[in-house]
């Protein structure tokens, strides 16, 4: 699903021009050479014409006169043709590939500049498809771009030559070329359909394989490897039958075309030509030239039809990319952002009403006129039933979304008056599930402070109670994290995430507490680290486990997007039924 009318956006060459940067000269030079190449190729049948006609008239005179100049001219043409063809192909491919690279990088940059709502509107698979398959579809157009310049050039040169030799025979050839184009056009849709079915069936096989590899342990435990094999074999059989059908169609078409282009048409040209030679309306050399042109053009015409239809696929991909480029972040920086200096860290929600940009139709607002003042340096805990809107409050502090009504303020100024980059420099976040990219511990820590020294990192790790276990890792700071990296416990990951925040040293810390309890040792380590982290900073904790909120300066109870009570733990137990009930459910004293 898209917004901002982006789905109506169509691709236009004009909008693609900036991406030609660095490839423009290559591409245009290459394509120009394509014209030269086509001209050289179109002149070859003319050699036959002149040589044969000259031989027919006076063979001896030709051998002593025209033969050698023609040979030299032919050699000269070849010398032009070979490098011309090479640079035509290489330069136009390189130019086009640079264009594709620029396009992909720009697209990626564009996606990274979007606000959070974008990633909720588009599924990861869809973003992947745009960045990979659609760009790939454009890359595939490289061959088309060459054919589209070279093919028509060869066609035009050759037709002009044929018309110069003999208009009637040229018209007959053109009619036959049109017939070939029409036959190809008719055959294309079913051909495409079969190819698509083969591709779909092949996708089914690979996704089945991936799926069963993913649950290999489960299959082993139940000794049901045979089940997976049966499933994959079934999909493989489908693929085979699709391939067989496609092969039948494809070959029926190519062989029928071959019969026309290699037998029917040449023989027609030969018999008509022979009859005209007999009548004196044509010479043998002319006929030989027609035969040469026919061989060249029958292939070119088919190629062009394929190219145009292939290009339609690339244009469709370009359309989708254009729509993607037209997407705008809903959260924008102001024209003249205010400087963020000497931040105290006081946050205020003033009458904030908010509904997710892509919530299900009919779903009401998440926050309904929220008023909340958090003093600089205050340690605030948000509690409430699941779905009450606690995490949403954190998102709004980060300005991942803008409120529909009301304002969120930092030190008395609306968040929207600052640049998001400056704002985020003041904020640190620990998520329920600590996130790390595939890289070393040091690289992950430096996300908090680019260029941090080893000493700084160790200090941060120690402050987060993570120094101990990192020192025990054989690779220390160079330990690789991520999917294939070191296996750390949930508590260890969280402490690393906290160390990253110590490095970043933000004024405001947003902490989304994990829902599940950690082992008790981790728990006390983390509690300790958090106390240190929160000291002297404004902090907002979404507390899922109420045993952890007692140290908060203030607990705010949220229900259905509104504040129902606030105070200290003991007070709330007495005064707020909802809080008391939540505590009792969790067995908190
Ligand atoms: P809590 O943190 O209190 O459990 P949340 O702030 O996560 O609650 O969610 C509040 C409401 O907003 C819920 O009804 C949830 O379904 C909805 N919600 C949360 N995130 C999104 C989102 N990205 N898009 C649409 N609705 C959302």
């Amino acid at each position: 699903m898209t917004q901002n009318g982006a789905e109506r956006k169509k691709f236009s060459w004009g909008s693609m021009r900036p991406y030609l940067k660095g490839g423009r000269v290559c591409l245009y030079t290459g394509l120009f050479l394509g014209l030269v190449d086509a001209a050289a190729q179109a002149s070859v049948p003319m050699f036959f014409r002149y040589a044969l006609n000259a031989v027919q008239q006076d063979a001896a005179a030709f051998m002593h006169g025209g033969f050698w100049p023609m040979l030299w001219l032919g050699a000269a043409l070849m010398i032009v043709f070979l490098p011309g063809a090479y640079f035509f192909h290489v330069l136009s491919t390189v130019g086009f590939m640079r264009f594709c690279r620029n396009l992909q990088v720009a697209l990626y940059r564009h996606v990274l500049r979007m606000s959070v709502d974008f990633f909720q509107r588009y599924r990861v698979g869809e973003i992947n498809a745009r960045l990979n398959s659609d760009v790939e579809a454009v890359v595939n157009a490289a061959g088309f771009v060459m054919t589209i310049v070279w093919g028509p050039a060869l066609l035009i040169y050759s037709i002009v030559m044929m018309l110069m030799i003999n208009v009637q025979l040229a018209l007959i050839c053109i009619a036959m070329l049109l017939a070939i184009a029409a036959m190809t056009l008719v055959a294309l849709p079913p051909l495409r359909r079969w190819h698509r079915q083969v591709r779909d069936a092949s996708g089914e096989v690979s996704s089945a394989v991936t799926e069963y590899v993913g649950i290999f342990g489960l299959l082993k435990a139940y000794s049901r490897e045979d089940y997976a094999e049966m499933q994959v074999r079934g999909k493989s059989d489908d693929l085979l039958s699709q391939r067989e059908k496609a092969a039948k169609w494809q070959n029926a078409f190519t062989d029928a075309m071959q019969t026309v282009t290699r037998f029917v048409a040449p023989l027609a040209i030969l018999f008509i030509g022979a009859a005209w030679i007999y009548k004196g309306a044509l010479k043998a050399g002319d006929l030989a030239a027609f035969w040469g042109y026919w061989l060249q053009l029958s292939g070119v015409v088919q190629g062009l039809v394929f190219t145009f239809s292939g290009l339609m696929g690339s244009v469709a991909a370009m359309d989708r990319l254009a729509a993607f480029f037209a997407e705008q972040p809903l959260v924008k920086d102001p024209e003249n952002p205010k400087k963020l200096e000497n931040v105290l860290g006081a946050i205020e929600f003033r009458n904030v009403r908010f509904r997710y940009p892509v919530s299900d139709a009919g779903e009401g607002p998440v926050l309904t006129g929220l008023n909340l003042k958090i003093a600089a340096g205050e340690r605030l805990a948000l509690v409430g039933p699941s779905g009450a809107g606690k995490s949403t409050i954190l998102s709004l502090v980060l300005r991942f979304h803008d409120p529909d009504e009301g304002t969120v303020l930092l030190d008395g100024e609306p968040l929207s008056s600052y640049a998001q980059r400056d704002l985020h420099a003041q904020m640190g976040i620990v998520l329920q599930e600590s996130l790390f990219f595939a890289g070393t511990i040091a690289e992950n820590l430096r996300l908090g402070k680019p260029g941090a020294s080893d000493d700084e990192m160790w200090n941060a790790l120690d402050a987060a109670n993570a120094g101990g276990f990192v020192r025990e890792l054989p690779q220390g700071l160079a330990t690789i994290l991520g999917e294939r990296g070191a296996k750390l416990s949930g508590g260890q990951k969280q402490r690393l995430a906290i160390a990253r925040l110590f490095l970043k040293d933000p004024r405001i810390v947003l902490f989304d507490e994990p829902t599940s309890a950690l082992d008790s040792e981790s728990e006390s380590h983390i509690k300790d680290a958090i106390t240190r982290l929160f000291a002297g900073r404004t902090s907002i904790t979404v507390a899922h486990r109420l045993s952890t909120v007692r140290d908060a300066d203030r607990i705010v109870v949220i229900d259905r997007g509104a504040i129902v009570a606030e105070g200290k733990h003991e007070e709330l137990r007495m005064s707020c039924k909802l809080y008391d009930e939540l505590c009792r459910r969790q067995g908190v004293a």
Side-chain angles (χ1 to χ4, degrees):
M1 185 186 146
T2 55
Q3 283 201 344
N4 311 335
E7 68 273 24
R8 287 190 295 278
K9 186 81 188 166
K10 284 274 184 222
F11 149 78
S12 72
W13 273 115
S15 64
M16 293 292 143
R17 283 175 66 148
Y19 309 115
L20 276 175
K21 202 167 165 255
R24 193 177 280 120
V25 176
C26 275
L27 186 64
Y28 291 163
T29 315
L31 294 181
F32 171 73
L33 287 173
L35 300 182
V36 178
D37 188 35
Q41 219 168 315
S43 64
V44 174
M46 286 312 243
F47 276 67
F48 279 83
R49 181 185 183 215
Y50 284 117
L52 283 179
N53 286 350
V55 168
Q56 192 183 17
Q57 205 170 26
D58 185 347
F62 174 68
M63 287 315 292
H64 295 294
F67 179 82
W68 288 104
M70 269 196 83
L71 192 70
W72 291 123
L73 189 62
L77 261 182
M78 201 182 69
I79 289 168
V80 171
F81 178 77
L82 179 65
Y86 176 76
F87 285 110
F88 158 47
H89 291 129
V90 169
L91 289 179
S92 46
T93 308
V94 166
F96 196 74
M97 291 306 149
R98 285 186 185 169
F99 162 74
C100 292
R101 192 272 318 258
N102 292 344
L103 186 70
Q104 193 164 30
V105 170
L107 202 60
Y108 190 55
R109 196 181 325 130
H110 182 73
V111 167
L112 288 178
R113 287 210 182 128
M114 287 294 120
S115 45
V116 171
D117 57 275
F118 175 85
F119 297 92
Q120 288 164 353
R121 271 185 283 132
Y122 283 99
R123 284 171 294 126
V124 175
E126 223 172 328
I127 298 178
N128 257 335
R130 289 301 93 81
L131 283 170
N132 295 314
S133 328
D134 284 344
V135 172
E136 193 63 24
V138 178
V139 169
N140 289 339
F144 302 148
V145 169
M146 280 189 257
T147 314
I148 229 130
V149 172
W150 172 86
L154 185 60
L155 198 66
I156 292 168
Y157 292 147
S158 306
I159 286 177
V160 169
M161 299 286 183
M162 288 199 291
L163 286 169
M164 274 165 45
I165 302 170
N166 185 300
V167 175
Q168 283 99 326
L169 198 52
L171 291 178
I172 290 172
C173 283
I174 292 170
M176 289 193 294
L177 287 173
L178 287 176
I180 288 181
M183 275 174 73
T184 314
L185 267 180
V186 170
L188 260 178
L191 221 52
R192 280 264 159 104
R193 207 167 43 244
W194 290 122
H195 279 287
R196 199 169 47 243
Q197 279 167 2
V198 167
R199 216 171 39 238
D200 290 349
S202 153
E204 290 278 321
V205 173
S206 61
S207 61
V209 169
T210 314
E211 193 179 321
Y212 292 116
V213 167
I215 56 158
F216 184 69
L218 183 73
L219 294 171
K220 263 256 158 311
Y222 281 86
S223 291
R224 285 310 309 269
E225 296 92 331
D226 57 336
Y227 174 75
E229 187 186 327
M230 215 166 63
Q231 296 292 320
V232 173
R233 185 180 299 179
K235 307 263 184 217
S236 257
D237 287 346
D238 289 345
L239 174 60
L240 178 66
S241 88
Q242 294 298 352
R243 282 209 165 119
E244 282 175 3
K245 280 186 212 160
K248 283 177 197 157
W249 235 108
Q250 170 97 45
N251 288 313
F253 167 69
T254 34
D255 293 339
M257 286 303 273
Q258 292 269 0
T259 312
V260 174
T261 56
R262 303 282 139 138
F263 289 93
V264 180
L267 289 177
I269 293 173
L270 176 69
F271 289 126
I272 296 169
W276 287 355
I277 290 174
Y278 173 70
K279 279 200 299 184
L282 201 73
K283 292 185 182 145
D286 300 346
L287 186 56
F290 266 99
W291 158 251
Y293 281 124
W294 175 262
L295 286 187
Q296 262 177 11
L297 292 191
S298 52
V300 168
V301 164
Q302 268 189 58
L304 276 176
V305 174
F306 274 112
T307 296
F308 271 112
S309 77
L311 209 56
M312 290 302 113
S314 294
V315 168
M318 290 287 229
D319 275 348
R320 284 193 296 269
L321 292 183
F324 224 49
F325 270 120
E327 286 280 350
Q328 291 297 324
L330 291 184
V331 177
K332 294 190 180 83
D333 277 343
E335 295 257 321
N336 298 305
K338 271 205 166 68
K339 276 224 154 56
L340 250 183
E341 285 166 337
N342 306 322
V343 177
L344 300 171
I347 293 166
E348 184 182 348
F349 279 71
R350 204 179 277 168
N351 227 348
V352 169
R353 211 180 141 82
F354 174 72
R355 181 177 195 269
Y356 278 97
V358 270
S359 46
D360 295 337
E363 216 173 272
V366 179
L367 302 180
T368 49
L370 183 82
N371 282 297
L372 175 64
K373 267 187 175 181
I374 307 160
E378 185 174 356
R379 184 170 175 174
L380 186 93
L382 298 174
V383 302
S386 162
K390 304 180 295 292
S391 309
T392 305
I393 292 177
L394 295 194
S395 304
L396 291 180
V397 173
L398 284 159
R399 209 184 160 217
F400 281 173
H401 307 279
D402 279 335
D404 300 321
E405 280 170 40
T407 325
V408 184
L409 306 110
L410 169 64
D411 291 349
E413 288 287 341
L415 295 184
S416 54
S417 58
Y418 302 116
Q420 292 168 71
R421 200 170 236 289
D422 295 344
L423 208 56
H424 292 154
Q426 302 294 332
M427 299 191 184
I429 180 159
V430 183
L431 297 168
Q432 288 194 9
E433 172 87 31
S434 305
L435 298 180
F436 299 99
F437 59 83
T440 63
I441 290 185
E443 284 165 347
N444 273 285
L445 287 178
R446 286 202 180 104
L447 209 57
K449 182 177 181 186
S453 70
D454 280 10
D455 278 349
E456 283 175 299
M457 284 193 271
W458 284 118
N459 287 342
L461 286 169
D462 286 334
N465 281 339
F469 79 83
V470 175
R471 275 188 194 89
E472 279 169 22
L473 294 169
Q475 311 278 322
L477 286 175
T479 307
I480 303 273
L481 298 177
E483 201 185 339
R484 305 238 164 245
K487 297 273 173 282
L488 299 181
S489 74
Q492 288 173 328
K493 280 191 200 157
Q494 208 171 22
R495 278 181 276 161
L496 278 186
I498 293 171
R500 192 157 62 184
L501 280 200
F502 272 114
L503 275 174
K504 186 173 182 183
D505 194 22
R507 288 299 312 136
I508 298 153
V509 178
L510 307 171
F511 188 75
D512 203 348
E513 198 184 67
T515 36
S516 53
L518 301 164
D519 56 277
S520 56
E521 195 204 313
S522 277
E523 187 95 56
S524 71
H525 273 129
I526 287 172
K527 206 167 164 205
D528 212 41
I530 285 172
T531 308
R532 247 182 311 222
L533 178 70
F534 286 180
R537 307 176 209 269
T538 310
S539 66
I540 309 177
T541 303
V542 171
H544 298 287
R545 285 168 304 120
L546 301 182
S547 53
T548 60
V549 299
R550 289 168 174 240
D551 300 333
D553 296 328
R554 186 161 48 127
I555 300 167
V556 171
V557 186
I558 310 270
D559 191 21
R560 284 179 228 160
I563 297 175
V564 291
E566 53 185 283
K568 290 260 188 196
H569 176 71
E570 281 75 19
E571 290 165 34
L572 286 174
R573 288 227 57 170
M574 313 286 277
S575 65
C576 177
K577 236 177 101 185
L578 176 63
Y579 186 76
D580 188 50
E581 166 133 5
L582 286 171
C583 285
R584 260 192 286 157
R585 230 187 280 161
Q586 293 192 10
V588 173

